Amino acid sequence: MGKTSRFSNPYPLLMVTMVLWGSSFSSSKSVVEHVPHSVGAFLRFGGGALALLLAVATFGRRTPRVPARNGWLAAGAGVLGVFAYNGFFFWGLSMAPSLDAGILIPVMSPVLTSTFLLLTGKEKATWARVTGLALGLTGAGIFFIGAGGSGGGGSSRLWGDALFLASAVCWASYTLAGPRVLAGIDPLKATTYATCAGAVLLGLLAAPDAMDVAWSELPTTVWLNVIFLAVGAAAVANLLYYRGVKSVGPAKASLMMFNVPVINTLCATLLLSESFGWLQGIGALVLVAGAVLAVTQGKLAWRSADTNTQSTVVAETSQPQDAAATS
């Protein structure tokens, strides 16, 4: 039992997801510098869809047949978490640095998730949470003011950051939909349905722009980045994230997103030589501090997460049908 629990611990897998996502911002920026943003988004998730379909063909036979309702729910989640999220994300990358995306999206996503759970009464309002959300919103405001001033880039960077914020809204919705989508369906198949649905819509959006791309002239580095984004940042990372959501719930899974800004900042500054001004730096620090306070409420989340995970496993083992019905 000890070995099983160690290898089934969702947090190392979630950390791998955050490393893949953290490095994907810079990788995506490199692609957008050579192709239109709509084409870049499709290359990432069109390739990711192919990788997942291959995985399902190899391993999917071991899992039960997916009911039609569950398949449609997963595909609907893909409209939010793949199509809408990446449409805004890659569009934003065409106007703002990947450094901004790596701050706003992974930090605002858990803030928005926590805010929704608070407003719907699924989580209690405490002084730490309310204070943290207020700090988070204040930090986001300072960050946006700095985007048009000390950070350079003017209105173009500001609009790009606004699109990154829209991406964060889409991802928070995708995370919140996770437990319902995963009720009665294997995470591999759920991720595949979501990715394929989003990739089809991204393909339709990218078709007109793809005609103008000089495909034979694209450098090798672009294709290497596309392979990494499709297999690592899209297929593997999304699969591991959905497994994490199923194990620990959307609130605690989104908490891991706070690792992404650190990884992205290292990649953006070292690989792309990106930077932001002092005002954006202050806003980022206030935003991160507020987000951490809001989501953790000043407590060590890992201990409570492990306890809740064990309780969930016991409950699902003893009442498998009830677990699916209440998700």
Side-chain angles (χ1 to χ4, degrees):
M1 291 298 292
K3 292 183 178 180
T4 302
S5 62
R6 281 197 298 270
F7 284 106
S8 62
N9 186 345
Y11 290 110
L13 298 180
L14 282 171
M15 190 61 205
V16 171
T17 301
M18 301 311 142
V19 172
L20 292 171
W21 280 344
S23 55
S24 71
F25 291 97
S26 298
S27 185
S28 298
K29 181 68 174 181
S30 298
V31 173
V32 169
E33 289 177 347
H34 294 88
V35 300
H37 60 85
S38 59
V39 175
F42 173 68
L43 287 175
R44 174 175 177 173
F45 278 90
L50 292 177
L52 285 169
L53 286 172
L54 179 61
V56 169
T58 304
F59 305 107
R61 297 176 183 176
R62 304 173 186 177
T63 59
R65 185 181 181 87
V66 178
R69 178 178 179 276
N70 297 90
W72 282 111
L73 281 175
V79 175
L80 278 174
V82 177
F83 173 66
Y85 168 83
N86 283 280
F88 289 129
F89 169 57
F90 277 86
W91 189 6
L93 281 178
S94 67
M95 292 185 282
S98 63
L99 191 60
D100 292 11
I103 296 293
L104 288 173
I105 296 176
V107 178
M108 286 302 298
S109 294
V111 168
L112 293 169
T113 301
S114 182
T115 300
F116 177 84
L117 294 173
L118 183 64
L119 293 176
T120 55
K122 295 182 179 180
E123 292 188 356
K124 296 181 179 180
T126 63
W127 71 268
R129 174 152 292 170
V130 174
T131 302
L133 292 175
L135 280 174
L137 293 175
T138 301
I142 296 173
F143 192 90
F144 272 89
I145 293 173
S150 64
S155 60
S156 177
R157 186 169 187 168
L158 185 61
W159 280 111
D161 286 356
L163 291 169
F164 294 148
L165 182 59
S167 293
V169 173
C170 293
W171 189 258
S173 302
Y174 182 63
T175 300
L176 289 165
R180 182 174 295 275
V181 171
L182 288 168
I185 182 172
D186 177 74
L188 172 60
K189 291 187 176 180
T191 306
T192 303
Y193 277 103
T195 303
C196 288
V200 169
L201 295 177
L202 288 172
L204 294 175
L205 183 66
D209 294 328
M211 302 296 292
D212 299 327
V213 177
W215 296 100
S216 61
E217 298 178 7
L218 293 178
T220 304
T221 53
V222 172
W223 294 111
L224 292 176
N225 277 298
V226 167
I227 293 172
F228 165 72
L229 291 170
V231 178
V236 175
N238 280 22
L239 172 61
L240 295 182
Y241 186 70
Y242 247 165
R243 287 186 181 276
V245 170
K246 186 172 185 177
S247 298
V248 302
K252 293 182 177 66
S254 65
L255 178 61
M256 294 292 293
M257 298 284 282
F258 294 128
N259 293 287
V260 174
V262 178
I263 299 166
N264 172 71
T265 299
L266 291 173
C267 293
T269 54
L270 295 177
L271 301 178
L272 301 179
S273 300
E274 293 181 348
S275 63
F276 47 59
W278 64 269
L279 190 56
Q280 276 191 296
I282 293 175
L285 290 175
V286 175
L287 174 58
V288 171
V292 171
L293 181 61
V295 176
T296 65
Q297 301 186 68
K299 300 177 181 178
L300 293 176
W302 313 123
R303 293 182 179 179
S304 60
D306 292 339
T307 302
N308 292 339
T309 302
Q310 294 174 0
S311 300
T312 303
V313 171
V314 172
E316 290 180 350
T317 303
S318 60
Q319 296 179 334
Q321 296 179 350
D322 293 341
T326 57
S327 298

Short mmCIF file of all heavy atoms in Angstrom, two decimals, residues 69-74 77 122 173-185 190 242 245-246 249-250 323-327:
data_model
loop_
_atom_site.label_atom_id
_atom_site.label_comp_id
_atom_site.label_asym_id
_atom_site.label_seq_id
_atom_site.Cartn_x
_atom_site.Cartn_y
_atom_site.Cartn_z
N ARG A 69 -23.32 10.92 -23.44
CA ARG A 69 -23.46 12.15 -22.66
C ARG A 69 -22.11 12.61 -22.12
O ARG A 69 -21.78 13.79 -22.17
CB ARG A 69 -24.44 11.94 -21.50
CG ARG A 69 -24.61 13.17 -20.61
CD ARG A 69 -25.63 12.90 -19.51
NE ARG A 69 -25.78 14.07 -18.64
CZ ARG A 69 -24.99 14.33 -17.61
NH1 ARG A 69 -23.99 13.50 -17.31
NH2 ARG A 69 -25.18 15.41 -16.86
N ASN A 70 -21.32 11.67 -21.61
CA ASN A 70 -20.00 12.02 -21.08
C ASN A 70 -19.06 12.51 -22.17
O ASN A 70 -18.26 13.43 -21.96
CB ASN A 70 -19.39 10.81 -20.38
CG ASN A 70 -20.20 10.36 -19.18
OD1 ASN A 70 -21.09 9.53 -19.33
ND2 ASN A 70 -19.93 10.89 -18.01
N GLY A 71 -19.17 11.91 -23.34
CA GLY A 71 -18.35 12.35 -24.46
C GLY A 71 -18.67 13.77 -24.88
O GLY A 71 -17.77 14.57 -25.14
N TRP A 72 -19.96 14.11 -24.91
CA TRP A 72 -20.36 15.47 -25.28
C TRP A 72 -19.95 16.48 -24.21
O TRP A 72 -19.57 17.61 -24.54
CB TRP A 72 -21.87 15.52 -25.51
CG TRP A 72 -22.29 14.97 -26.83
CD1 TRP A 72 -23.00 13.82 -27.06
CD2 TRP A 72 -22.02 15.53 -28.12
NE1 TRP A 72 -23.18 13.62 -28.41
CE2 TRP A 72 -22.60 14.66 -29.09
CE3 TRP A 72 -21.35 16.66 -28.56
CZ2 TRP A 72 -22.51 14.91 -30.46
CZ3 TRP A 72 -21.27 16.92 -29.92
CH2 TRP A 72 -21.84 16.06 -30.85
N LEU A 73 -20.03 16.08 -22.94
CA LEU A 73 -19.58 16.98 -21.87
C LEU A 73 -18.09 17.28 -22.01
O LEU A 73 -17.65 18.44 -21.85
CB LEU A 73 -19.87 16.36 -20.51
CG LEU A 73 -21.30 16.45 -19.98
CD1 LEU A 73 -21.43 15.67 -18.67
CD2 LEU A 73 -21.70 17.91 -19.76
N ALA A 74 -17.29 16.26 -22.28
CA ALA A 74 -15.86 16.45 -22.44
C ALA A 74 -15.56 17.33 -23.65
O ALA A 74 -14.69 18.21 -23.61
CB ALA A 74 -15.15 15.10 -22.57
N ALA A 77 -16.28 20.88 -22.80
CA ALA A 77 -15.20 21.45 -21.99
C ALA A 77 -14.03 21.86 -22.88
O ALA A 77 -13.34 22.85 -22.60
CB ALA A 77 -14.74 20.45 -20.93
N LYS A 122 -19.80 27.36 -2.32
CA LYS A 122 -19.16 26.06 -2.21
C LYS A 122 -17.94 26.11 -1.30
O LYS A 122 -17.44 25.07 -0.89
CB LYS A 122 -18.78 25.55 -3.60
CG LYS A 122 -20.01 25.27 -4.48
CD LYS A 122 -19.61 24.72 -5.82
CE LYS A 122 -20.84 24.42 -6.67
NZ LYS A 122 -20.48 23.87 -8.00
N SER A 173 -12.90 28.32 -15.94
CA SER A 173 -14.16 27.62 -16.26
C SER A 173 -13.89 26.16 -16.60
O SER A 173 -14.63 25.26 -16.21
CB SER A 173 -14.85 28.32 -17.44
OG SER A 173 -15.11 29.68 -17.14
N TYR A 174 -12.81 25.92 -17.34
CA TYR A 174 -12.42 24.56 -17.72
C TYR A 174 -12.09 23.73 -16.48
O TYR A 174 -12.48 22.56 -16.37
CB TYR A 174 -11.21 24.67 -18.64
CG TYR A 174 -10.68 23.37 -19.19
CD1 TYR A 174 -11.45 22.57 -20.03
CD2 TYR A 174 -9.37 22.97 -18.94
CE1 TYR A 174 -10.94 21.40 -20.57
CE2 TYR A 174 -8.85 21.80 -19.47
CZ TYR A 174 -9.64 21.02 -20.29
OH TYR A 174 -9.14 19.86 -20.83
N THR A 175 -11.38 24.34 -15.53
CA THR A 175 -11.03 23.64 -14.30
C THR A 175 -12.26 23.32 -13.46
O THR A 175 -12.40 22.22 -12.93
CB THR A 175 -10.05 24.51 -13.47
OG1 THR A 175 -8.87 24.75 -14.24
CG2 THR A 175 -9.67 23.81 -12.17
N LEU A 176 -13.17 24.27 -13.36
CA LEU A 176 -14.39 24.06 -12.59
C LEU A 176 -15.28 22.98 -13.21
O LEU A 176 -15.99 22.28 -12.50
CB LEU A 176 -15.16 25.38 -12.47
CG LEU A 176 -14.53 26.44 -11.56
CD1 LEU A 176 -15.16 27.81 -11.80
CD2 LEU A 176 -14.67 26.05 -10.09
N ALA A 177 -15.22 22.86 -14.52
CA ALA A 177 -16.02 21.84 -15.20
C ALA A 177 -15.42 20.45 -15.06
O ALA A 177 -16.09 19.46 -15.32
CB ALA A 177 -16.17 22.19 -16.68
N GLY A 178 -14.16 20.37 -14.63
CA GLY A 178 -13.45 19.11 -14.58
C GLY A 178 -14.15 17.99 -13.84
O GLY A 178 -14.34 16.89 -14.40
N PRO A 179 -14.56 18.19 -12.57
CA PRO A 179 -15.19 17.08 -11.84
C PRO A 179 -16.44 16.55 -12.51
O PRO A 179 -16.67 15.33 -12.53
CB PRO A 179 -15.52 17.73 -10.48
CG PRO A 179 -14.51 18.82 -10.34
CD PRO A 179 -14.32 19.37 -11.72
N ARG A 180 -17.26 17.42 -13.08
CA ARG A 180 -18.48 16.95 -13.75
C ARG A 180 -18.14 16.20 -15.03
O ARG A 180 -18.75 15.16 -15.34
CB ARG A 180 -19.38 18.16 -14.07
CG ARG A 180 -20.70 17.77 -14.73
CD ARG A 180 -21.60 18.98 -14.89
NE ARG A 180 -22.00 19.49 -13.59
CZ ARG A 180 -23.02 19.03 -12.88
NH1 ARG A 180 -23.75 18.03 -13.35
NH2 ARG A 180 -23.33 19.55 -11.72
N VAL A 181 -17.15 16.70 -15.76
CA VAL A 181 -16.75 16.05 -17.00
C VAL A 181 -16.16 14.67 -16.73
O VAL A 181 -16.40 13.70 -17.46
CB VAL A 181 -15.72 16.91 -17.76
CG1 VAL A 181 -15.13 16.15 -18.95
CG2 VAL A 181 -16.38 18.21 -18.24
N LEU A 182 -15.40 14.55 -15.63
CA LEU A 182 -14.68 13.32 -15.33
C LEU A 182 -15.53 12.26 -14.64
O LEU A 182 -15.06 11.17 -14.39
CB LEU A 182 -13.46 13.64 -14.45
CG LEU A 182 -12.32 14.36 -15.18
CD1 LEU A 182 -11.31 14.90 -14.19
CD2 LEU A 182 -11.65 13.44 -16.17
N ALA A 183 -16.77 12.60 -14.31
CA ALA A 183 -17.65 11.63 -13.68
C ALA A 183 -18.03 10.54 -14.68
O ALA A 183 -18.72 10.77 -15.66
CB ALA A 183 -18.92 12.32 -13.16
N GLY A 184 -17.51 9.33 -14.44
CA GLY A 184 -17.86 8.21 -15.31
C GLY A 184 -17.05 8.12 -16.59
O GLY A 184 -17.47 7.40 -17.51
N ILE A 185 -15.89 8.81 -16.68
CA ILE A 185 -15.08 8.74 -17.89
C ILE A 185 -13.60 8.78 -17.51
O ILE A 185 -13.20 9.50 -16.60
CB ILE A 185 -15.43 9.90 -18.86
CG1 ILE A 185 -14.60 9.79 -20.15
CG2 ILE A 185 -15.24 11.24 -18.21
CD1 ILE A 185 -15.04 10.77 -21.22
N ALA A 190 -11.32 11.60 -21.65
CA ALA A 190 -11.89 12.94 -21.46
C ALA A 190 -10.99 14.00 -22.08
O ALA A 190 -11.45 14.91 -22.77
CB ALA A 190 -12.06 13.21 -19.96
N TYR A 242 -5.84 16.82 -15.84
CA TYR A 242 -7.16 16.26 -15.60
C TYR A 242 -7.10 15.14 -14.56
O TYR A 242 -8.02 14.96 -13.76
CB TYR A 242 -7.77 15.76 -16.90
CG TYR A 242 -8.98 16.57 -17.36
CD1 TYR A 242 -9.47 16.46 -18.65
CD2 TYR A 242 -9.63 17.43 -16.48
CE1 TYR A 242 -10.57 17.20 -19.07
CE2 TYR A 242 -10.73 18.15 -16.89
CZ TYR A 242 -11.20 18.04 -18.18
OH TYR A 242 -12.28 18.77 -18.57
N VAL A 245 -6.98 16.97 -11.28
CA VAL A 245 -8.29 17.51 -10.91
C VAL A 245 -9.20 16.41 -10.37
O VAL A 245 -9.93 16.60 -9.39
CB VAL A 245 -8.96 18.20 -12.13
CG1 VAL A 245 -10.41 18.54 -11.84
CG2 VAL A 245 -8.19 19.47 -12.50
N LYS A 246 -9.12 15.23 -10.98
CA LYS A 246 -9.96 14.12 -10.53
C LYS A 246 -9.54 13.66 -9.13
O LYS A 246 -10.38 13.24 -8.33
CB LYS A 246 -9.85 12.95 -11.51
CG LYS A 246 -10.80 11.80 -11.19
CD LYS A 246 -10.80 10.77 -12.30
CE LYS A 246 -11.85 9.69 -12.02
NZ LYS A 246 -11.93 8.68 -13.12
N GLY A 249 -9.41 17.66 -6.79
CA GLY A 249 -10.41 18.69 -6.97
C GLY A 249 -9.85 19.92 -7.67
O GLY A 249 -8.64 20.13 -7.72
N PRO A 250 -10.74 20.78 -8.21
CA PRO A 250 -10.28 21.92 -9.00
C PRO A 250 -9.55 22.98 -8.20
O PRO A 250 -8.59 23.59 -8.70
CB PRO A 250 -11.59 22.49 -9.59
CG PRO A 250 -12.66 22.00 -8.68
CD PRO A 250 -12.20 20.66 -8.20
N ALA A 323 -20.41 8.15 -6.24
CA ALA A 323 -19.37 9.13 -6.54
C ALA A 323 -19.59 9.74 -7.91
O ALA A 323 -19.44 10.93 -8.12
CB ALA A 323 -18.00 8.48 -6.47
N ALA A 324 -19.95 8.92 -8.88
CA ALA A 324 -20.18 9.44 -10.22
C ALA A 324 -21.43 10.30 -10.28
O ALA A 324 -21.49 11.30 -10.98
CB ALA A 324 -20.31 8.27 -11.21
N ALA A 325 -22.43 9.94 -9.50
CA ALA A 325 -23.68 10.68 -9.56
C ALA A 325 -23.60 12.04 -8.92
O ALA A 325 -24.32 12.96 -9.32
CB ALA A 325 -24.79 9.86 -8.88
N THR A 326 -22.72 12.19 -7.92
CA THR A 326 -22.65 13.47 -7.19
C THR A 326 -21.60 14.39 -7.72
O THR A 326 -21.44 15.49 -7.22
CB THR A 326 -22.38 13.20 -5.71
OG1 THR A 326 -21.17 12.43 -5.58
CG2 THR A 326 -23.51 12.43 -5.07
N SER A 327 -20.82 14.00 -8.72
CA SER A 327 -19.74 14.85 -9.23
C SER A 327 -20.31 15.98 -10.08
O SER A 327 -21.32 15.83 -10.70
CB SER A 327 -18.76 14.06 -10.07
OG SER A 327 -18.16 13.06 -9.27
#
